[in-house]
């Protein structure tokens, strides 16, 4: 009898970011993004960041093609949107985390 270690099958992980709001809101959103993405990276879990920006949608494949630092550098040099859009839930992922676009935010 051969036993093989069980490897958990984790589907696609996606972090949605709405790059909008004032300086304090952006600081909070980018802080959340850094924490969640770093947490996943420390556990060896590749994931995607999908950001809605003033320049349109941007996506980074963290842990496979891009780094978190590259995504943050781009977001810090991009102007925020005037308001958060309605989420377009066209992307499918087994695990999704939303940052921004919350009902209680006035953007």
């Amino acid at each position: 009898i051969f036993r093989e270690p069980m490897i958990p099958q984790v589907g696609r992980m996606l972090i949605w970011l709405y790059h909008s709001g004032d300086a304090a809101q952006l600081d909070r959103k980018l802080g959340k993004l850094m924490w969640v993405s770093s947490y996943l990276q420390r556990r060896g879990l590749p994931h995607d960041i999908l950001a809605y920006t003033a320049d349109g949608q941007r996506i980074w494949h963290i842990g496979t093609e891009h780094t978190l630092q590259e995504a943050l550098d781009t977001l810090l040099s991009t102007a925020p949107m005037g308001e958060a859009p309605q989420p377009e839930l066209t992307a499918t992922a087994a695990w999704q985390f939303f940052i921004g676009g919350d009902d209680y935010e006035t953007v």
Side-chain angles (χ1 to χ4, degrees), residues 16-20 29 52 81 84-88 98-101:
W16 298 71
L17 174 74
Y18 295 99
H19 191 256
S20 62
K29 290 176 185 182
Y52 288 93
M81 294 183 299
Q86 293 297 319
E88 298 175 20
F98 293 87
I99 299 175

Side-chain angles (χ1 to χ4, degrees), residues 8-83:
Q9 296 296 318
V10 178
R12 179 179 179 211
M13 296 183 167
L14 181 63
I15 302 172
W16 298 71
L17 174 74
Y18 295 99
H19 191 256
S20 62
D22 60 23
Q25 288 172 328
L26 283 173
D27 186 48
R28 182 183 56 79
K29 290 176 185 182
L30 292 176
K32 276 186 181 179
L33 174 67
M34 286 176 51
W35 190 90
V36 172
S37 185
S38 296
Y39 179 87
L40 294 173
Q41 281 184 309
R42 284 192 306 272
R43 277 139 186 87
L45 299 170
H47 54 282
D48 297 338
I49 296 174
L50 175 62
Y52 288 93
T53 69
D55 298 334
Q57 285 186 359
R58 298 289 310 262
I59 190 160
W60 294 271
H61 306 288
I62 307 299
T64 56
E65 299 174 15
H66 304 285
T67 65
L68 176 58
Q69 187 62 49
E70 180 183 337
L72 288 172
D73 289 345
T74 302
L75 289 169
L76 287 170
S77 64
T78 303
M81 294 183 299
E83 61 183 53

